């Protein structure tokens, strides 16, 4: 089978894969997966992801701390992330960003952690993988100030927000959300994005596309997301997969 899938955001260290992680990772290439980016949620997760890249040559990893995982000792955490980011299989800093979804979040601490990791990405000349939830205004302002290269992942916002992100030179990542019944906003956003500026992702084990809703997601399911994108772009599924494979390689400077 030809391998056209580049899953630009996955979480194979998640406990949802504990029972059969190696079996899944061994099977993905025969299911059409060319590459998968392992996004990290903290330094400990980054270490696990980098270890997986040493086992499976089609995997690449990012080093980073998620805004919901605010460290007790930020200086120590950032030092670990910085050290891990020097690994030969680390191609991005992420996932980083802002998440104001749950009550009790520490806005100031999230912003500080986000900005420190943006600084690290600039120092390492690496793209960032940005998570934004219920924090669009603050996150966009920081991105406008810092001007990193990278991707805003799991996008479900408006076409207007997408255009603001595009002005920054960033890519936009779409998950199985494109297949959901309430996806009208995300589909309208995709319609205004040039074909060389979007990528596909799973965010697995979450966000499984229709017809797999409610099941554990994996990278092979991107074909369904590509089908939804193909309808918007008036392209074939194969053309979408080929284009987003190229875009993923450009995003992560990966060959």
């Amino acid at each position: 089978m030809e391998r056209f899938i580049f899953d630009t955001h996955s979480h194979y260290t998640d406990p949802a894969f504990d029972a059969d992680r190696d079996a899944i990772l061994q099977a993905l290439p025969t299911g059409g997966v060319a590459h998968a980016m392992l996004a990290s949620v903290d330094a400990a997760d980054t270490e696990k992801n980098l270890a997986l890249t040493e086992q499976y040559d089609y995997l690449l990893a990012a080093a980073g701390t998620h805004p919901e995982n605010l460290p007790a000792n930020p200086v120590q955490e950032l030092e670990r992330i910085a050290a891990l980011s020097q690994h030969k299989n680390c191609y991005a800093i992420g996932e980083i960003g802002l998440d104001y979804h749950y009550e009790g979040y520490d806005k100031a601490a999230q912003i500080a952690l986000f900005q420190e990791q943006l600084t690290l990405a600039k120092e390492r000349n690496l793209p960032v993988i940005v998570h934004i939830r219920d924090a669009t205004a603050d996150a966009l302002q920081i991105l406008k100030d810092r001007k990193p290269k990278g991707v805003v992942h799991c996008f479900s916002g408006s076409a207007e927000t997408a255009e603001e992100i595009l002005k920054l030179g960033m890519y936009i990542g779409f998950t199985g959300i494109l297949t959901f019944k309430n996806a009208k906003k995300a589909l309208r956003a995709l319609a205004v994005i040039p074909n060389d500026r979007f990528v596909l992702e799973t965010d697995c084990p979450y966000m499984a596309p229709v017809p797999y809703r409610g099941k554990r997601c994996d990278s092979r399911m991107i074909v369904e997301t590509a089908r939804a994108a193909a309808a918007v772009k008036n392209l074939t599924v194969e053309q979408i997969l080929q284009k987003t494979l190229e875009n993923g390689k450009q995003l992560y400077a990966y060959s």
Side-chain angles (χ1 to χ4, degrees):
M1 180 177 184
E2 288 194 85
R3 293 166 60 190
F4 283 156
I5 293 170
F6 195 149
D7 184 352
T8 59
H9 193 111
S10 63
H11 294 281
Y12 284 106
T13 55
D14 191 276
F17 293 107
D18 282 354
D20 59 353
R21 181 173 293 108
D22 284 318
I24 290 286
L25 292 173
Q26 287 166 17
L28 292 184
T30 58
V33 178
H35 309 292
M37 165 58 82
L38 304 173
S40 298
V41 297
D42 57 23
D45 190 41
T46 302
E47 289 178 352
K48 293 176 186 175
N49 281 325
L50 289 168
L52 284 177
T53 69
E54 292 174 358
Q55 285 182 265
Y56 300 96
D57 63 5
Y58 70 93
L59 297 177
L60 53 159
T65 301
H66 190 287
E68 288 186 291
N69 288 357
L70 292 176
N73 188 329
V75 173
Q76 187 178 60
E77 175 79 359
L78 288 163
E79 285 175 351
R80 286 180 70 194
I81 293 294
L84 292 164
S85 72
Q86 297 182 67
H87 190 285
K88 62 181 171 60
N89 295 334
C90 179
Y91 284 85
I93 300 297
E95 68 185 279
I96 64 176
L98 301 177
D99 193 319
Y100 299 167
H101 185 68
Y102 295 107
E103 287 185 15
Y105 65 87
D106 188 333
K107 179 176 175 177
Q110 284 195 20
I111 288 173
L113 183 66
F114 186 24
Q115 291 178 326
E116 289 283 356
Q117 292 183 101
L118 287 170
T119 297
L120 173 63
K122 278 280 175 73
E123 290 171 353
R124 292 280 186 269
N125 192 30
L126 290 171
V128 292
I129 301 171
V130 179
H131 168 103
I132 304 171
R133 184 160 63 158
D134 297 343
T136 301
D138 284 354
L140 278 180
Q141 188 56 57
I142 291 169
L143 292 175
K144 287 174 184 175
D145 290 343
R146 296 300 190 97
K147 297 180 176 59
K149 57 185 178 181
V151 60
V152 173
H153 104 98
C154 198
F155 190 78
S156 61
S158 67
E160 292 76 18
T161 299
E163 286 172 335
E164 290 296 306
I165 294 165
L166 292 173
K167 287 176 188 172
L168 299 172
M170 299 184 76
Y171 289 80
I172 297 177
F174 289 94
T175 63
I177 282 174
L178 289 181
T179 69
F180 298 177
K181 285 182 180 177
N182 61 350
K184 289 186 178 66
K185 192 160 68 167
L187 292 168
R188 283 196 295 268
L190 177 59
V192 306
I193 298 171
N195 290 352
D196 62 350
R197 297 288 292 282
F198 75 94
V199 291
L200 298 182
E201 55 174 276
T202 56
D203 205 13
C204 68
Y206 314 104
M207 314 298 291
V210 175
Y212 304 105
R213 292 286 283 137
K215 297 181 179 179
R216 183 185 70 177
C217 186
D218 71 53
S219 301
R220 293 168 290 192
M221 296 179 187
I222 272 185
V223 172
E224 300 303 327
T225 306
R227 205 180 309 283
V232 173
K233 295 295 190 179
N234 197 27
L235 297 170
T236 67
V237 173
E238 291 75 17
Q239 286 171 323
I240 288 288
L241 290 174
Q242 185 63 57
K243 189 60 192 166
T244 52
L245 171 63
E246 294 167 9
N247 294 348
K249 289 180 176 180
Q250 289 291 323
L251 162 62
Y252 294 129
Y254 182 78
S255 57

